[in-house]
Amino acid sequence: MEFRPCIDIHNGRVKQIVGGSLRDADSAAQENFVAEHGADYYAGLYRDAGIRGGHVILLNARDSAQYAATKEQALSALRAYPGGLQAGGGITPESASEFLEAGASHVIVTSYVFQKGQICYDRLERMRDAVGSKRLVLDLSCRKTGETYCIVTDRWQRVTEEKVDEALLERLSGYCDEFLIHAVDVEGKAEGIEEELAAFLGAWGGKTVTYAGGVHSYEDLELLAKLGKNRLNVTIGSALDLFGGKLSWRKVSDMCKKAGNNC
């Protein structure tokens, strides 16, 4: 179990937002925290602590007026910690090289590989061919629809027909190095984890999976370790002291290391 820190960027600022509140029309979002520091500051903290695999996420659409400022912040973080961070948000085969050359270890992709609510395997293959499967993370962020978890795309605004189940994970494993899975219904609310999803992902035991969503106490972290069988990595945002929360990011990192050593 590893702590995978986050640097979420919206309208050119490091922020924590409520997961389902993003709107493309006016680049609006419900904010939990707006940082005084730039993205490179947080990258430097993670670098100096030796924490690898964190996520730099661009939350603006590529065609928004604020995208350029958000992108520059993301690139500054990648340059501050070469090889230590992953980058995601609107990345395509054509744009991926810029983020990799700036220092990203991996690129994270969701929306590009979807068309009309389904995975477009031609697009997925183009992305894999552009960056290589060892540098690709597939974001399968999802929300519960009825009895199943369905992938959501376009900054979590569109529910697709693709169900997050064992068959899908096995099928996609050949295209990527890791999965990133946000439980969108609890993301940014700091009200507890999505236990059913965590248990399913822990039972699967295939590729590396990072879980995100709802962790707001050390007890939540312990529960995630138990349900995930110490196999799941975790990213935490609004609950961290770095972003106005109560959890010490250093203690979270230490707890994850201890859980990982117990595997």
Side-chain angles (χ1 to χ4, degrees), residues 137-207:
V137 175
L138 291 179
D139 182 341
L140 306 183
S141 294
C142 57
R143 67 181 353 133
K144 196 165 188 182
T145 304
E147 297 300 314
T148 62
Y149 288 95
C150 292
I151 297 174
V152 290
T153 64
D154 302 293
R155 290 155 300 286
W156 303 338
Q157 297 173 67
R158 180 171 301 176
V159 180
T160 74
E161 299 174 15
E162 300 286 355
K163 299 176 182 179
V164 177
D165 56 20
E166 187 170 334
L168 181 71
L169 295 176
E170 294 290 348
R171 188 160 62 249
L172 295 180
S173 289
Y175 292 92
C176 67
D177 194 39
E178 300 182 6
F179 294 113
L180 170 62
I181 302 182
H182 292 78
V184 173
D185 288 327
V186 297
E187 175 68 23
K189 297 180 179 178
E191 295 176 350
I193 66 172
E194 188 74 63
E195 296 184 24
E196 182 181 348
L197 180 61
F200 161 70
L201 295 172
W204 177 56
K207 288 273 185 181

Side-chain angles (χ1 to χ4, degrees), residues 8 29-30 38 47 105 128 133 163 168 178 190 203 229 241:
D8 294 345
Q30 183 179 337
R47 179 197 63 219
S105 65
R128 178 200 59 195
S133 61
K163 299 176 182 179
L168 181 71
E178 300 182 6
K229 304 183 187 301
D241 53 358

Side-chain angles (χ1 to χ4, degrees), residues 6-254:
C6 62
I7 305 174
D8 294 345
I9 308 168
H10 179 247
N11 293 352
R13 301 284 298 276
V14 175
K15 295 182 182 180
Q16 286 295 311
I17 67 168
V18 175
S21 69
L22 276 169
R23 295 293 179 267
D24 286 345
D26 52 4
S27 295
Q30 183 179 337
E31 299 169 348
N32 287 328
F33 176 85
V34 181
E36 295 180 0
H37 300 290
D40 57 340
Y41 168 82
Y42 295 98
L45 288 180
Y46 305 148
R47 179 197 63 219
D48 294 346
I51 301 172
R52 304 180 64 85
H55 312 116
V56 180
I57 305 297
L58 295 77
L59 295 176
N60 289 99
R62 290 196 307 274
D63 59 358
S64 77
Q66 293 81 11
Y67 179 78
T70 291
K71 179 181 175 183
E72 186 51 43
Q73 281 290 312
L75 294 176
S76 73
L78 299 175
R79 296 184 188 113
Y81 190 6
L85 298 167
Q86 304 172 358
I91 294 177
T92 67
E94 293 74 27
S95 66
S97 61
E98 184 174 8
F99 293 93
L100 294 173
E101 290 168 5
S105 65
H106 298 68
V107 293
I108 305 167
V109 177
T110 307
S111 301
Y112 173 79
V113 301
F114 277 81
Q115 281 188 325
K116 298 180 180 179
Q118 296 180 328
I119 295 172
C120 175
Y121 285 90
D122 286 345
R123 286 188 163 216
L124 180 55
E125 289 168 5
R126 285 200 292 275
M127 180 60 72
R128 178 200 59 195
D129 293 345
V131 304
S133 61
K134 294 298 184 182
R135 304 193 76 178
L136 180 61
V137 175
L138 291 179
D139 182 341
L140 306 183
S141 294
C142 57
R143 67 181 353 133
K144 196 165 188 182
T145 304
E147 297 300 314
T148 62
Y149 288 95
C150 292
I151 297 174
V152 290
T153 64
D154 302 293
R155 290 155 300 286
W156 303 338
Q157 297 173 67
R158 180 171 301 176
V159 180
T160 74
E161 299 174 15
E162 300 286 355
K163 299 176 182 179
V164 177
D165 56 20
E166 187 170 334
L168 181 71
L169 295 176
E170 294 290 348
R171 188 160 62 249
L172 295 180
S173 289
Y175 292 92
C176 67
D177 194 39
E178 300 182 6
F179 294 113
L180 170 62
I181 302 182
H182 292 78
V184 173
D185 288 327
V186 297
E187 175 68 23
K189 297 180 179 178
E191 295 176 350
I193 66 172
E194 188 74 63
E195 296 184 24
E196 182 181 348
L197 180 61
F200 161 70
L201 295 172
W204 177 56
K207 288 273 185 181
T208 297
V209 176
T210 297
Y211 168 91
V215 176
H216 78 303
S217 68
Y218 298 118
E219 290 75 18
D220 280 340
L221 196 59
E222 292 170 347
L223 178 59
L224 181 65
K226 178 181 178 180
L227 293 174
K229 304 183 187 301
N230 290 332
R231 294 171 175 163
L232 301 181
N233 298 329
V234 61
T235 187
I236 305 173
S238 301
L240 287 183
D241 53 358
L242 286 175
F243 305 119
K246 297 180 180 180
L247 302 186
S248 162
W249 69 278
R250 295 186 183 277
K251 182 174 179 178
V252 166
S253 180
D254 289 343

